Amino acid sequence: MRHRPIGLLALVLFGCSVGSRGGSLLEKEFEHGGLERQYLVYTPRDAPRLDGLRPLVLILHGGGGTHRGMVRVTRERFHALADRDGVYLVYPNAVERIWDFGEGIVSERLSTRVDDLGFFRELLRRVKAEYPIDPQRVFATGISRGGQASYFLACKLPGLIRAIAPVTMPLPGFLEDDCRQGPPVGVAILNGTADPLVPYQGGQIRVLRQERGTVLSTDRTVELWRLRNGCGPESESLQLPDKTSDGTTVRKTTWSRCSGAPVVLYRIEEGGHTWPSGVQYLPTGLVGRVCTDIDGAWEIWQFFRSFDLP
């Protein structure tokens, strides 16, 4: 395995935080399936002085993205939270910038087929062996196809992921049967109603007029996870403050009366295919608006940290 500190140019381009103002970000790699696979590890500030096993959050980039690009899209907001609460972060990197889930419409178009399920399993094994990770507090979040990857991990590696937070992504149709049953997994979904790529109401994903598979509606996704996690139909709904003039508003609905794990929906009215308070990485005409009424990283970490706080 090779370890590479992120160079100065990469820091400028992708906003990675290192040194005394925060923890450290290190690029690592290992061979899997005949391919060199890369990932970034963020070690929180004061890590040597932390007691006990620590939480781990996997942060997954979308299709066409990279591990470094995901640091930039989220504006490093997870880093300050990791420093505050002693959390390890891992940003995995896909081959050819796309995760291979083995489904037909996207994976079969890849020039190199990849065992990403095996990669994630080995990645978790290596990180747990090298760092003081609590196996009961491993979480995953991601945007777009990275959101699909969080569902993929929760449903294909049962018992390894405690909670997930997909962004701009209802449940993909190809995972519906896999996700319907299994151990409880906490789920927080952050979806925009005006997403031009992934329909909030379900249907066909379209990127540059190309079909990329179907998704369930957001409401149907919530219902599947509510039933899997043993949640009753009662929910608590809260309209969050409209803090900015970005053209979006947010309603947070929580199903917490569960025998397994809670389910939370952030319905972002007029929100696009974007990370809340993240970078407007493409024009609004292509991906829609960025909601700045909530900080996606902060909301996601507040959800994750509610699981067995030390």
Side-chain angles (χ1 to χ4, degrees):
M1 178 193 294
R2 292 197 292 272
H3 299 178
R4 296 198 296 268
I6 303 301
L8 178 60
L9 178 59
L11 293 175
V12 172
L13 291 175
F14 300 107
C16 302
S17 130
V18 295
S20 60
R21 77 183 182 94
S24 63
L25 189 69
L26 190 67
E27 183 173 72
K28 301 189 175 187
E29 63 183 36
F30 62 90
E31 184 175 323
H32 184 265
L35 299 168
E36 290 295 327
R37 301 302 304 266
Q38 297 83 31
Y39 59 104
L40 301 172
V41 177
Y42 185 82
T43 299
R45 185 181 56 216
D46 301 326
R49 291 184 287 277
L50 294 173
D51 294 327
L53 299 178
R54 310 309 305 170
L56 169 67
V57 180
L58 302 178
I59 305 171
L60 303 150
H61 68 76
T66 66
H67 53 346
R68 296 187 185 95
M70 193 61 182
V71 176
R72 176 176 176 270
V73 165
T74 55
R75 297 186 187 271
E76 300 181 59
R77 294 184 187 273
F78 280 107
H79 296 187
L81 298 168
D83 288 339
R84 185 192 72 181
D85 292 340
V87 182
Y88 287 84
L89 309 175
V90 168
Y91 298 84
N93 199 41
V95 174
E96 296 184 15
R97 297 177 174 246
I98 195 80
W99 302 110
D100 187 345
F101 303 134
E103 92 286 18
I105 196 163
V106 175
S107 292
E108 289 181 358
R109 295 175 181 172
L110 298 175
S111 60
T112 301
R113 296 304 305 272
V114 179
D115 175 19
D116 270 329
L117 184 63
F119 162 68
F120 284 126
R121 186 184 287 110
E122 177 63 14
L123 173 63
L124 287 172
R125 188 194 70 77
R126 287 173 177 266
V127 173
K128 290 176 184 176
E130 188 171 355
Y131 299 96
I133 301 303
D134 183 350
Q136 301 302 314
R137 288 187 290 165
V138 177
F139 309 102
T141 183
I143 186 172
S144 192
R145 195 160 174 91
Q148 288 188 350
S150 68
Y151 291 119
F152 184 70
L153 289 169
C155 301
K156 292 289 192 176
L157 297 177
L160 293 185
I161 305 296
R162 187 69 179 277
I164 61 173
V167 178
T168 72
M169 186 56 64
L171 184 67
F174 70 89
L175 282 173
E176 182 177 6
D177 291 341
D178 291 304
C179 292
R180 194 178 301 280
Q181 295 181 334
V185 177
V187 178
I189 300 169
L190 296 82
N191 283 354
T193 63
D195 187 327
L197 306 183
V198 180
Y200 187 92
Q201 299 298 339
Q204 185 66 239
I205 300 172
R206 287 187 172 84
V207 179
L208 300 177
R209 299 183 180 179
Q210 292 188 352
E211 295 185 349
R212 298 295 178 92
T214 61
V215 292
L216 279 62
S217 72
T218 299
D219 289 346
R220 188 174 163 193
T221 300
V222 167
E223 182 70 1
L224 182 148
W225 286 101
R226 183 183 72 78
L227 294 174
R228 170 168 168 163
N229 288 347
C231 304
E234 306 85 2
S235 64
E236 298 177 2
S237 189
L238 178 65
Q239 186 69 35
L240 301 184
D242 189 10
K243 298 177 181 178
T244 62
S245 57
D246 61 10
T248 73
T249 58
V250 182
R251 177 170 289 277
K252 178 183 178 182
T253 304
T254 303
W255 289 261
S256 58
R257 299 179 184 178
C258 311
S259 60
V263 177
V264 179
L265 170 64
Y266 291 84
R267 178 186 171 102
I268 305 173
E269 295 288 348
E270 299 304 319
H273 195 74
T274 53
W275 186 277
S277 290
V279 170
Q280 182 77 52
Y281 60 94
L282 286 172
T284 56
L286 294 177
V287 296
R289 295 185 176 100
V290 172
C291 171
T292 55
D293 293 322
I294 59 172
D295 180 336
W298 192 91
E299 298 290 343
I300 288 167
W301 175 239
Q302 294 312 300
F303 179 68
F304 288 164
R305 77 188 297 267
S306 68
F307 291 82
D308 293 343
L309 282 173

